[in-house]
Amino acid sequence: VIADAIAGFKRLQRLPVCALTGTDEHGLKIERAAREAGLTPQELADRYAAEFQRTWEEMELKFDAFIRTTEPRHTVAVTELARRIKEKGHIYLGEYSGNYCVSCEAYAPEGEKNCPDCGRPTEFMKEESYFFKLSAFQERLLRFYESHPDFVLPVSRMNEIVSFVRSGLRDVSISRTSFRWGIPLPDDPEHIFYVWFDALTGYLSGVGFGTDPAAFAERWPADVQLIGKDILRFHAVYWPAFLMAAGLEPPRHILVNGWWTVEGEKMSKSRGNFITARDLLSKFPPDYIKYFLLREIPIGGDGDFSWEAFVNRCNSDLANDFGNLVNRTLKMIENYSGGVIPEKGDDEGGDVELIRFSRETVELYKEQFDRLQINRALETVWELVAAVNRYLVANEPWALARESSKRTRLNTVLFNTAETIRLITVLVSPVLRRGARAVLEQLGIGGEVDRLGPEDLKWGVLKPGTRLGKVDVVYPRLDLDVVRASDSPSEGRSSLGEAPTGEEKPRIAIDDFAKIDMRVGRVISAERIPKSKKLLKLMVDIGDEVRQVVAGIGEAYSPESLTGRLVVLVANLQPVRLMGVESNGMIVAATVGDRPVLATFQEEVPPGARLK
RNA sequence: CGCGGGGUGGAGCAGUCCGGUAGCUCGUUGGGCUCAUAACCCAAAGGUCGGAGGUUCAAAUCCUCCCCCCGCAACCA
């Protein structure tokens, strides 16, 4: 949405624009998801790509280029980029080692003893891998940052990156042999390019690198690449280093955006509170959604989506201020001027003031948009909207209409109002495509938003005598109660959170189950482990002995509520130290949302009894 | 002492670097207008600026200590 708004703003000024987006379709996750869905990876990727494209279309986002990493031209680009880097001697064959989860076939992040996906213990593994000599680029990167202090925006993110690079860089692995779904290295096809190397190159392949040198020369380097804060390091460190190594220019800016929360909470599957673009599109026209997203938070920060805030913002700004202004004005032109834009007379003080303010608004808007302060730019436009509403009240055209001697004055006021509305509409057209189209049509000047240009950003373009189109409400008000009633971000899911639709585990033999020693235990004592958020140290009586176990249930249960309680304990797990405390077993609990709920018995059971 | 962000009228925020009438949007209340989408315009009410101490003629702003909230990280055997 941000990229589209920026692109639209540049197009409005008739500047050359190439807005590129795409999908990253290689890697283990797709390979696995496809297998589970009974599809080939390509089929699955096709589905995703179609889904994304449809969403953009419905959102009325206009991209000039779209790259899928499974396209042949992308393979060409990746291969070529790697060739150039290798030619300069920045790639070497080494050994990658780390904690590997066999069942997921993936390495856990450094320091993780357990797989972040399935929670199973990982094994230390080594494999051959090609490495990129990132360590050799530390100084060059730091010099680059110094000479381009606004490379990463906002600056706080730039600082974060500088201090990260200062603390030292290690070479990064760029190939894997543990999966096949990807682009093989040309010189050693056993190796597949690791997803980051592959995906980042999409910025190049999408504009013709290796396939269309003329287009590439024209379009690279990118002026701005938009990312979320979770992938900052790849874009601000690895990416410019890859490019430098290949003798290419880094992008001019990396614009880092924050995350959205919903009603103050993180969006997550387990909370069942995530809202997709499609959820919103099924309820609201794209203008409302885009306006809220762009107006509500400054780029770079985190934002919170709440239905109340959404409805308030849209009603207040789109329906009440702007939409209603358009409607009241055009209705007056219909009633007092026969539905035709009138010829204006001489301007008075208030008129001159309005025109001056309009021009200032255009300048300020451009300035703020250029600084990527889109929320500010919109705010600026709405100050003009308010000024026009005030202008109407000050001049009371409805009163002028009652006296035939005030005819000329009335025409002047109506013209000035209509013209300022036209200007406002042009200003918001990069964001509010649908509304802009509607307003321009109602003004009788055609709704071709894509044809707008810099000449439309001047005051005084509207031609007297223009016949209005059909006047209708542009932005209907939303009703919070209705929205709430149909609000179902978690529609189809239990209010307790998503049921474990998750991965089916493979069938096992009874013997496998018999390996697990589960017993009834009674909690004798429970206390919090210092400095930990959810760990409790429990002493559990399991009949013949008292076990010390550590359980991650401290957020859902207080220590006091646990003493005396019957629990189910897995007694033959390997001991482990958690936050320095030894644990000799595991308390069995269901996971509901992200809360544990302890398993227990309705009838009295003696501690030590075995479960099977 | 893990890293970071934050606590300002009912809600969400700005102001804090560079001390000096506490501002914005929404909401509330009263009024105006009647062209308009219960919309628009005007006005008012409403704040111990998390707490305590200190510096200063003067502190939301500077210093010290404390409390609380939210992310991330470490842990959910």
Side-chain angles (χ1 to χ4, degrees):
Chain A
V1 172
I2 293 170
D4 176 69
I6 296 170
F9 170 70
K10 297 292 180 189
R11 286 189 201 109
L12 180 58
Q13 295 170 87
R14 296 246 170 76
L15 295 165
V17 175
C18 178
L20 166 73
T21 187
T23 51
D24 165 20
E25 305 181 331
H26 284 137
L28 185 65
K29 289 208 168 155
I30 296 271
E31 190 176 87
R32 234 169 48 212
R35 199 187 308 138
E36 277 160 23
L39 299 168
T40 66
Q42 188 65 58
E43 284 167 341
L44 184 68
D46 288 348
R47 288 194 186 182
Y48 281 133
E51 170 79 10
F52 282 127
Q53 281 180 307
R54 203 172 58 164
T55 303
W56 294 325
E57 208 166 294
E58 284 176 27
M59 199 69 106
E60 299 193 33
L61 306 178
K62 303 282 174 212
F63 289 101
D64 303 290
F66 178 55
I67 182 71
R68 299 179 54 183
T69 59
T70 51
E71 291 176 59
R73 60 180 172 142
H74 182 71
T75 300
V76 173
V78 171
T79 310
E80 172 63 12
L81 182 69
R83 191 190 62 76
R84 291 201 194 180
I85 297 174
K86 193 177 176 194
E87 195 177 85
K88 302 244 166 75
H90 299 302
I91 290 179
Y92 64 92
L93 183 61
E95 221 168 43
Y96 186 88
S97 63
N99 294 319
Y100 187 79
C101 173
V102 180
S103 83
C104 295
E105 299 174 21
Y107 283 95
E110 194 154 345
E112 294 274 338
K113 290 197 297 291
N114 296 296
C115 175
D117 281 348
C118 68
R120 277 175 263 230
T122 53
E123 287 171 27
F124 187 77
M125 284 256 304
K126 276 189 202 171
E127 65 174 304
E128 262 195 348
S129 169
Y130 285 91
F131 280 80
F132 170 72
K133 272 192 201 165
L134 184 63
S135 56
F137 286 83
Q138 182 164 351
E139 286 313 312
R140 274 183 75 178
L141 281 170
L142 288 171
R143 259 182 280 128
F144 174 72
Y145 297 150
E146 206 173 324
S147 57
H148 301 80
D150 55 356
F151 172 58
V152 176
L153 295 169
V155 274
S156 55
R157 296 286 171 201
M158 182 79 256
N159 297 337
E160 192 182 317
I161 283 301
V162 170
S163 71
F164 171 73
V165 173
R166 277 216 186 100
S167 72
L169 294 175
R170 296 199 308 182
D171 294 346
V172 292
S173 161
I174 58 163
S175 79
R176 284 297 140 84
T177 52
S178 54
F179 64 91
R180 298 305 308 159
W181 179 236
I183 300 172
L185 270 68
D187 305 337
D188 191 348
E190 283 303 295
H191 287 257
I192 303 295
F193 282 107
Y194 188 47
V195 282
W196 274 107
F197 190 87
D198 178 337
L200 284 165
T201 309
Y203 291 111
L204 300 178
S205 59
V207 292
F209 178 67
T211 51
D212 187 347
F216 183 71
E218 195 178 311
R219 289 169 174 169
W220 192 262
D223 289 302
V224 58
Q225 291 184 353
L226 273 153
I227 63 166
K229 63 183 182 183
D230 48 329
I231 53 177
L232 173 60
R233 207 171 276 182
F234 298 100
H235 282 78
V237 183
Y238 300 2
W239 182 226
F242 291 162
L243 291 166
M244 286 172 178
L248 293 167
E249 268 189 82
R252 303 234 158 83
H253 302 287
I254 305 286
L255 184 57
V256 188
N257 210 7
W259 289 337
W260 283 95
T261 53
V262 172
E263 310 283 352
E265 290 193 315
K266 266 205 307 184
M267 278 198 225
S268 76
K269 242 184 194 168
S270 57
R271 286 190 181 128
N273 69 340
F274 59 93
I275 299 176
T276 66
R278 303 216 73 111
D279 289 336
L280 292 173
L281 280 165
S282 69
K283 300 189 182 74
F284 313 106
D287 280 12
Y288 287 81
I289 304 165
K290 290 192 280 187
Y291 181 77
F292 179 81
L293 294 178
L294 291 172
R295 173 62 229 266
E296 198 65 11
I297 60 152
I299 295 172
D302 291 340
D304 181 55
F305 183 98
S306 83
W307 293 101
E308 197 179 342
F310 179 78
V311 168
N312 281 345
R313 183 104 254 162
C314 291
N315 278 348
S316 165
D317 292 5
L318 293 181
N320 296 353
D321 291 346
F322 180 53
N324 179 53
L325 170 65
V326 172
N327 197 241
R328 70 196 298 209
T329 303
L330 298 189
K331 279 274 165 61
M332 283 191 277
I333 291 175
E334 278 192 338
N335 295 335
Y336 309 147
S337 185
V340 171
I341 305 292
E343 186 90 38
K344 70 187 270 191
D346 294 334
D347 284 329
E348 294 178 1
D351 311 323
V352 174
E353 179 63 22
L354 179 71
I355 296 166
R356 192 182 56 81
F357 191 60
S358 299
R359 294 193 169 125
E360 283 172 9
T361 299
V362 173
E363 288 317 306
L364 187 57
Y365 170 86
K366 280 192 197 162
E367 211 177 296
Q368 288 168 328
F369 221 117
D370 275 330
R371 272 184 284 156
L372 302 174
Q373 300 176 330
I374 301 179
N375 64 320
R376 291 273 201 87
L378 291 172
E379 208 177 320
T380 298
V381 175
W382 255 259
E383 273 166 34
L384 181 58
V385 171
V388 182
N389 272 318
R390 259 178 270 131
Y391 174 81
L392 282 179
V393 171
N395 290 288
E396 300 186 301
W398 47 90
L400 296 173
R402 286 185 216 117
E403 297 178 55
S404 52
S405 62
K406 304 272 175 68
R407 187 78 231 171
T408 309
R409 183 64 203 142
L410 172 64
N411 288 346
T412 304
V413 172
L414 290 180
F415 179 88
N416 288 343
T417 307
E419 170 58 4
T420 309
I421 286 173
R422 186 200 59 79
L423 184 67
I424 290 167
T425 306
V426 175
L427 287 174
V428 299
S429 65
V431 176
L432 306 176
R433 293 182 69 88
R434 186 175 289 189
R437 202 183 306 138
V439 174
L440 295 178
E441 263 163 21
Q442 293 189 27
L443 275 170
I445 52 180
E448 289 297 315
V449 171
D450 292 325
R451 267 221 289 274
L452 295 172
E455 64 279 3
D456 297 302
L457 285 169
K458 300 199 161 67
W459 200 95
V461 172
L462 198 55
K463 299 241 177 347
T466 307
R467 175 152 289 279
L468 297 186
K470 186 178 180 305
V471 176
D472 198 6
V473 167
V474 180
Y475 292 116
R477 285 175 63 83
L478 305 173
D479 184 327
L480 180 59
D481 293 330
V482 173
V483 168
R484 278 228 174 98
S486 72
D487 158 29
S488 42
S490 53
E491 203 166 16
R493 284 162 216 133
S494 146
S495 62
L496 290 169
E498 197 169 11
T501 57
E503 272 151 68
E504 292 274 316
K505 295 196 177 162
R507 298 284 173 107
I508 58 168
I510 184 86
D511 298 353
D512 291 326
F513 179 74
K515 291 177 193 157
I516 301 167
D517 179 11
M518 284 204 280
R519 301 211 223 154
V520 177
R522 187 181 296 282
V523 179
I524 299 185
S525 69
E527 59 185 276
R528 293 194 181 278
I529 292 172
K531 294 207 308 186
S532 94
K533 195 156 85 182
K534 48 178 137 176
L535 293 188
L536 296 181
K537 183 173 92 176
L538 307 177
M539 301 304 288
V540 183
D541 177 4
I542 50 170
D544 45 358
E545 60 175 310
V546 173
R547 285 284 184 89
Q548 170 174 303
V549 299
V550 174
I553 54 175
E555 282 183 301
Y557 293 89
S558 70
E560 305 80 60
S561 69
L562 288 169
T563 14
R565 220 182 138 135
L566 284 179
V567 294
V568 177
L569 186 95
V570 180
N572 62 338
L573 281 174
Q574 291 192 345
V576 72
R577 295 184 79 79
L578 293 170
M579 301 284 292
V581 182
E582 187 165 303
S583 181
N584 294 291
M586 178 172 78
I587 306 290
V588 176
T591 302
V592 179
D594 48 9
R595 311 242 107 187
V597 176
L598 290 180
T600 189
F601 296 92
Q602 296 201 331
E603 293 149 78
E604 196 52 34
V605 186
R610 286 173 193 276
L611 279 79
K612 63 171 188 184

